[in-house]
């Protein structure tokens, strides 16, 4: 089955700096890759997603890149703000069947003012 | 409703007790998922419904776990004879379409189960 590895497990940056979180996946049939933000005690919320027919997607300060050959994808946050502090999860799924999401273990991002 | 509602928000169970966790998806949402999130980990898939049909239960860790959605709306996750390793946050997610990737998932806030 699918396995998703996520790095780093913790990341601390200064306000205004960029943050990059990387994930690799094992199932070459995976073709949908969402990123979720989870604040302490709250529900995971989708922040951006990418499908395998594109290599990059941007939404304001957030971007995701996908390398299908290497089977890895990355989340980039620019001009970080303290409110970006949270745990970020990457996930992967393949079309068909239950379309379940397989999540990475998460990255705790801390943005220091 | 405005979002996915889960109850109870917190549950403490003695080892060996049975528990029932409830999920009220957004009205009209076809797809419903259950995930288990252990402390410091990512959510792990348990089971998936399309309307009342349970199409995938491959993630249920043992036969002590049972889920149902009899009328295609509210879902209940039941855990029999709870054990300490069952302690986790149980998340429910719903989606309006047959293909959740096309419409997005909305997660509930979860039920935090602690088995003592």
């Amino acid at each position: 089955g699918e396995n998703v590895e996520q790095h780093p497990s913790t990341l601390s940056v200064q306000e205004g700096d960029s943050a990059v979180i990387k994930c690799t996946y094992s199932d070459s049939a995976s073709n949908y890759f969402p990123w979720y933000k989870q604040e302490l005690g709250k529900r995971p919320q989708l922040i951006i997603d990418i499908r395998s027919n594109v290599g990059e997607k941007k939404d304001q300060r957030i971007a995701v890149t996908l390398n299908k050959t290497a089977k890895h994808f990355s989340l980039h946050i620019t001009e970080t703000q303290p409110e970006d502090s949270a745990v970020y999860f990457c996930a992967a799924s393949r079309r068909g069947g239950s379309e379940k999401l397989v999540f990475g273990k998460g990255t705790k991002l801390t943005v220091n003012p | 409703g405005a979002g996915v509602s889960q109850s109870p928000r917190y549950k403490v169970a003695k080892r060996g007790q049975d528990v029932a966790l409830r999920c009220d998806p957004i009205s009209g949402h076809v797809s419903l998922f259950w995930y288990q999130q252990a402390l410091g980990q990512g959510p792990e898939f348990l089971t998936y419904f399309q309307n009342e049909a349970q199409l995938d239960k491959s993630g249920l860790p043992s036969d002590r776990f049972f889920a149902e959605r009899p009328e295609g709306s509210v879902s209940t996750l039941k855990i029999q004879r709870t054990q300490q390793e069952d302690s986790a946050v149980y998340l429910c997610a719903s989606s309006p379409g047959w293909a959740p990737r096309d419409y997005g998932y909305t997660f509930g806030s979860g039920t935090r189960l602690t088995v003592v």
Side-chain angles (χ1 to χ4, degrees):
Chain A
E2 174 67 281
N3 183 51
V4 176
E5 299 284 340
Q6 183 171 348
H7 300 280
S9 56
T10 61
L11 180 58
S12 182
V13 300
Q14 289 299 122
E15 182 176 359
D17 287 351
S18 295
V20 180
I21 302 170
K22 299 182 179 181
C23 289
T24 59
Y25 60 98
S26 61
D27 186 353
S28 56
S30 289
N31 53 9
Y32 174 64
F33 307 94
W35 287 87
Y36 285 83
K37 175 183 181 181
Q38 188 175 31
E39 296 177 40
L40 190 63
K42 296 192 175 180
R43 69 192 72 197
Q45 293 195 305
L46 178 70
I47 56 171
I48 196 166
D49 59 13
I50 191 167
R51 288 162 176 76
S52 59
N53 57 344
V54 298
E56 183 175 7
K57 184 176 178 180
K58 288 184 179 180
D59 183 3
Q60 300 182 337
R61 296 186 297 109
I62 295 172
V64 57
T65 58
L66 171 65
N67 183 328
K68 287 189 295 181
T69 303
K71 291 192 282 188
H72 68 69
F73 56 112
S74 300
L75 177 71
H76 304 253
I77 306 174
T78 59
E79 301 171 21
T80 53
Q81 301 166 5
E83 51 265 40
D84 293 331
S85 297
V87 179
Y88 291 80
F89 293 97
C90 62
S93 80
R94 59 189 298 176
R95 182 165 290 282
S98 65
E99 302 220 3
K100 64 186 179 187
L101 292 175
V102 178
F103 286 84
K105 291 188 184 301
T107 297
K108 183 177 181 181
L109 173 64
T110 303
V111 181
N112 301 300
Chain B
V4 178
S5 178
Q6 292 188 246
S7 61
R9 189 76 174 88
Y10 303 93
K11 175 69 178 178
V12 178
K14 290 185 178 179
R15 191 174 54 172
Q17 241 183 339
D18 297 349
V19 298
L21 312 179
R22 177 187 170 104
C23 173
D24 278 274
I26 294 172
S27 179
H29 275 202
V30 169
S31 300
L32 185 146
F33 293 78
W34 283 98
Y35 286 85
Q36 180 191 59
Q37 187 174 23
L39 189 64
Q41 302 294 314
E44 291 194 2
F45 171 80
L46 293 176
T47 188
Y48 165 62
F49 291 86
Q50 268 190 13
N51 294 314
E52 70 278 3
Q54 188 175 22
L55 297 187
D56 188 346
K57 55 181 180 179
S58 62
L60 296 176
S62 77
D63 58 7
R64 296 186 297 105
F65 286 71
F66 172 78
E68 60 183 4
R69 194 185 184 198
E71 297 178 357
S73 55
V74 171
S75 178
T76 304
L77 176 66
K78 298 179 179 177
I79 309 173
Q80 296 178 323
R81 303 181 303 281
T82 52
Q83 300 177 5
Q84 284 192 317
E85 58 262 33
D86 300 334
S87 296
V89 174
Y90 290 84
L91 293 165
C92 177
S94 71
S95 176
W98 302 104
R101 65 176 58 204
D102 296 326
Y103 300 94
Y105 297 66
T106 301
F107 280 90
S109 295
T111 294
R112 180 178 295 278
L113 172 65
T114 303
V115 181
V116 297

